[in-house]
Amino acid sequence: MLNIRIEKTTAPKAKPQDESKLGFGKIFTDHMFVMNYETGKGWFDPRVVPYQSLSLDPSAMVFHYGQEMFEGLKAYRTEDGRVLMFRPNKNIERANNTNKRICIPEIPEEDFLQAMQAVVSVDKDWIPTAPGTSLYIRPFIIATDPFLGVRPSDTYLFIVILSPVGAYYASGLDPVKIWIEDEYVRAVKGGIGEAKTGGNYVASLKAQMKAHDEGYSQVLWLDGVERKYIEEVGAMNIFFKINGKVVTPMLNGSILPSVTRASCIELCKSWGYEVEERRISVDELVEAARTGALEECWGSGTAAVISPVGNLRFEDEVMEIGGGNIGPLSQRLYDTVTGIQTGKVEDTFGWTVEVK
Ligand SMILES: *Cc1c(COP(=O)(O)O)cnc(C)c1O
C-alpha cells in the first residue's frame, strides 16, 4: 500500500461547460499523481498534487535517448453515479512489460492501481457524463538523470495525468479510410513494437503525414521484414471478418497487445464466432476484398474503442468495405464494450473496477 500525500489545488480551474466540444487530450484536470524513483531507494514520495509544469534538467536522459513509457485507459461515470475503470490490471501488466523492455523499474501492480485510483478519485467531478465521453487516464514514466551517456537512468518520475475526452465520433460511428503503408515500417520483431513507448510513435509520423496528404486518416503497417503481413494501425489493432470468421494478426513481438483487442476476441468467442489469430498477408486481404469475402474491418483501441474501416488502400488497389456503413459485428462490439464500460450492459466478465 502506498501512503499517498494529497495536496489539493487552491485555484481550481473552470470545468468545460460544453461536453460536445471536449475533443481528445486537450484539457487536463486540476491534479496529477507523481512518484519518484532512485536506484537503491525504490519508488518513493507518492503524492497527488495540483496539475503543474515540471522542472527538469536540460540534460535529463528522457530528452536525448527517449527512455519513457506510457499507458492509456479510461474511467467512466455510470448512470447511477459510480466511477468505473475498464480492465486497469491489463494496462498495468502491459506497463510493466514495457518497463522490462526499456529498462525502467517496475511498479507493483497494486501500487500502480492505487495511484490511478487516488488521482481519479480527487478529480472525479471532472468526469464528463454525455454519451461517449469519459476521463482519459495517461500514466507515464520518464528518465530524469542529468547525463548524456547511454545507459538506463537511475532516477525516474512516474506521473498520472487526466483528461476529460469527448465522443470520438461526433455523429455515430463513421467508417474511416486507412492507408496500407509499403515504404516505411513501424517496428520489427526484437525491437520495441510490443512496448507502449513514444519511440514507436515518432517512427510512425512520416507515414502518417503521407497518408493524410492522400486523404487517409490512419496508417496500417505491414511487417518490417517481408513487408507482406498485416500488423496494426497507428494506435489500434486491426480485425477483419472474412467469410464469417473473425481474423486478426497474431501477437508476433512487433504488435502492441491492445486491451480492446483482447476484449474483442473474448466477446466474439463468447458469441460463437470462430476467431483466428494468425498471419494475414496483404495479398490475402486484397483477394478477399475482390471476391467479396471481406465482410467487415475494424480497429480496436481505447480512444475510439471500435473504429469501423470503410476503405483500405494498398498501392493502386482501393478496397471498399461495407458500402460506407458500419458492419453489424463492429456495431455489436462497440455497443457491448461501451455498454460494459459505462455500466449499461452487465459486466459478466468482471472487466470493470470501481473507483471509490
Ligand atoms: C495503445 C495502443 C493500441 C491500443 O491498445 P488499447 O489497450 O486497446 O488501448 C494499439 N496500438 C498501439 C501502437 C498502441 O500504442
Side-chain angles (χ1 to χ4, degrees), residues 247-277:
V247 184
T248 190
M250 63 200 246
L251 299 178
N252 60 355
S254 56
I255 296 175
L256 199 282
S258 147
V259 178
T260 321
R261 171 188 185 276
S263 308
C264 285
I265 292 172
E266 287 172 62
L267 281 170
C268 287
K269 285 184 178 165
S270 78
W271 295 333
Y273 285 97
E274 207 174 307
V275 180
E276 293 180 347
E277 293 179 65

Side-chain angles (χ1 to χ4, degrees), residues 114-132:
Q114 197 193 343
M116 294 194 289
Q117 287 178 324
V119 64
V120 170
S121 182
V122 168
D123 276 339
K124 61 173 174 287
D125 291 345
W126 281 85
I127 306 178
T129 53

Side-chain angles (χ1 to χ4, degrees), residues 70-73 90-91 94 136 138 186 193 195-197 200-201 221 232-237 254-262 300-303 305:
F70 69 95
E71 267 301 326
L73 65 163
K90 296 282 279 185
N91 292 87
R94 184 172 68 192
Y136 185 76
R138 167 54 59 89
R186 171 185 173 273
K196 207 164 175 82
T197 175
N200 288 322
Y201 281 79
W221 300 101
E232 64 167 311
V233 185
M236 299 189 294
N237 287 163
S254 56
I255 296 175
L256 199 282
S258 147
V259 178
T260 321
R261 171 188 185 276
S300 67
T302 295
V305 185

Side-chain angles (χ1 to χ4, degrees), residues 185 187-189 222-229 231 254 279:
V185 298
V188 291
K189 183 167 187 236
L222 297 178
D223 76 276
V225 178
E226 294 178 71
R227 316 269 175 109
K228 189 171 163 193
Y229 296 99
E231 297 245 304
S254 56
R279 291 209 297 187

